[in-house]
């Protein structure tokens, strides 16, 4: 049997890493961070436990990378959905709704993510986070910023604060209320983006967004769509 080519090995590694990221967000969303072990993640992903250490220095890095993947792919999908637009206000509205939507739909996961950022290890840069930063910086620029290097960190801080407020145990703020404040700051019309469903509890008019699997596709064709 001839040895596998470098391209085949690279594809197998990519798929293995995707499965670990997907398993991490699923398990933390179901059980919380502390109740999820690296062994649990490897088992859910169908991977050897040693592969987790091969790709990630530890659980915190794996979970942060997984959540940042979910965030940047959710944001990317929102920005590029049909009808596509270059309007800076509409894109800012979509960005705000995408991040607030995660706080609404995945409160356990996002609460654990925010708590992780406050741990001793703090913020851990990774390729997934850098892609998220690129998308938010581009959004700020299209919204008309003359100083993206200052305005991007402010948008990031405001979104993080809103997510924290939405998932804070015991005293969460409603997503529509947080949305209204952010829309006011960025001078956005309420009907931009994905307005909350008036008949629900801050839901969405969009399709169901509970399926995370599409953001961790192991099929290259599916991933590119």
């Amino acid at each position: 049997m001839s040895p596998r080519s470098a391209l085949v090995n690279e594809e197998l590694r990519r798929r293995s890493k995707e499965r670990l990221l997907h398993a991490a967000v699923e398990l933390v969303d179901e059980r919380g961070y502390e109740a999820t072990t690296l062994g649990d993640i490897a088992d859910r992903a169908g991977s050897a436990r040693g592969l987790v250490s091969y790709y990630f220095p530890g659980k915190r890095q794996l979970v942060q990378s997984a959540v940042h993947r979910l965030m940047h792919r959710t944001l990317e999908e929102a920005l590029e959905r049909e009808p596509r637009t270059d309007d800076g206000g509409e894109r800012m509205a979509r960005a705000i709704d995408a991040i607030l939507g995660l706080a609404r739909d995945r409160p356990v996961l996002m609460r654990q993510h925010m708590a992780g950022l406050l741990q001793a290890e703090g913020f851990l840069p990774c390729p997934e986070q850098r892609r998220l930063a690129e998308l938010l910086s581009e959004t700020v620029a299209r919204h008309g910023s003359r100083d993206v290097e200052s305005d991007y960190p402010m948008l990031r801080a405001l979104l993080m604060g809103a997510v924290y407020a939405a998932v804070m145990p015991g005293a969460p703020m409603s997503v529509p209320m947080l949305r209204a404040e952010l829309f006011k700051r960025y001078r956005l019309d309420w009907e931009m983006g994905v307005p909350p469903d008036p008949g629900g509890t801050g839901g969405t008019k969009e399709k169901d967004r509970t399926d995370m699997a599409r953001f961790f596709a192991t099929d290259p064709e599916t991933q590119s769509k």
Side-chain angles (χ1 to χ4, degrees), residues 82-157:
E82 298 294 342
R84 294 190 178 185
T85 180
D86 290 324
D87 180 78
E90 173 62 22
R91 291 180 73 83
M92 178 64 77
R94 292 184 183 189
I96 291 170
D97 283 337
I99 302 303
L100 288 181
L102 284 173
R104 179 195 62 237
D105 298 336
R106 303 287 175 185
V108 173
L109 182 65
M110 297 308 291
R111 186 182 303 125
Q112 298 295 305
H113 178 60
M114 298 301 295
L117 297 178
L118 299 175
Q119 298 301 310
E121 301 98 322
F123 175 76
L124 303 169
C126 65
E128 308 295 346
Q129 183 278 328
R130 285 193 286 274
R131 179 55 180 154
L132 176 63
E134 289 171 0
L135 289 169
L136 288 175
S137 295
E138 179 186 341
T139 298
V140 167
R142 293 198 184 192
H143 188 251
S145 171
R146 297 181 180 179
D147 186 1
V148 174
E149 291 190 4
S150 295
D151 292 337
Y152 156 65
M154 179 58 68
L155 174 61
R156 181 184 63 194

Side-chain angles (χ1 to χ4, degrees), residues 33 59 184:
Y33 180 81
K59 185 170 73 166
K184 180 179 178 181

Side-chain angles (χ1 to χ4, degrees), residues 8-188:
V8 170
N9 285 329
E10 181 180 354
E11 176 61 17
L12 290 174
R13 287 193 293 269
R14 183 192 67 77
R15 293 189 180 200
S16 179
K17 189 173 181 180
E18 294 284 313
R19 287 194 295 268
L20 289 170
L21 291 169
H22 186 197
V25 293
E26 278 192 334
L27 287 169
V28 174
D29 193 42
E30 293 170 11
R31 307 176 184 177
Y33 180 81
E34 296 299 334
T36 298
T37 68
L38 288 175
D40 294 333
I41 294 171
D43 290 345
R44 175 68 66 91
S47 300
R49 299 191 183 193
L51 280 179
V52 182
S53 300
Y54 177 79
Y55 292 119
F56 302 97
K59 185 170 73 166
R60 185 69 65 189
Q61 288 87 347
L62 168 54
V63 172
Q64 278 201 28
S65 291
V67 177
H68 283 139
R69 159 65 68 88
L70 178 63
M71 292 176 72
H72 94 63
R73 290 298 299 275
T74 298
L75 176 58
E76 189 172 58
E77 183 179 83
L79 293 173
E80 298 306 318
R81 74 167 185 268
E82 298 294 342
R84 294 190 178 185
T85 180
D86 290 324
D87 180 78
E90 173 62 22
R91 291 180 73 83
M92 178 64 77
R94 292 184 183 189
I96 291 170
D97 283 337
I99 302 303
L100 288 181
L102 284 173
R104 179 195 62 237
D105 298 336
R106 303 287 175 185
V108 173
L109 182 65
M110 297 308 291
R111 186 182 303 125
Q112 298 295 305
H113 178 60
M114 298 301 295
L117 297 178
L118 299 175
Q119 298 301 310
E121 301 98 322
F123 175 76
L124 303 169
C126 65
E128 308 295 346
Q129 183 278 328
R130 285 193 286 274
R131 179 55 180 154
L132 176 63
E134 289 171 0
L135 289 169
L136 288 175
S137 295
E138 179 186 341
T139 298
V140 167
R142 293 198 184 192
H143 188 251
S145 171
R146 297 181 180 179
D147 186 1
V148 174
E149 291 190 4
S150 295
D151 292 337
Y152 156 65
M154 179 58 68
L155 174 61
R156 181 184 63 194
L158 290 169
L159 289 174
M160 289 176 67
V163 169
Y164 178 82
V167 301
M168 183 169 59
M173 293 184 66
S174 75
V175 167
M177 183 181 298
L178 294 164
R179 182 183 195 264
E181 286 299 311
L182 288 169
F183 271 44
K184 180 179 178 181
R185 177 183 176 86
Y186 288 102
R187 303 180 303 280
L188 305 173

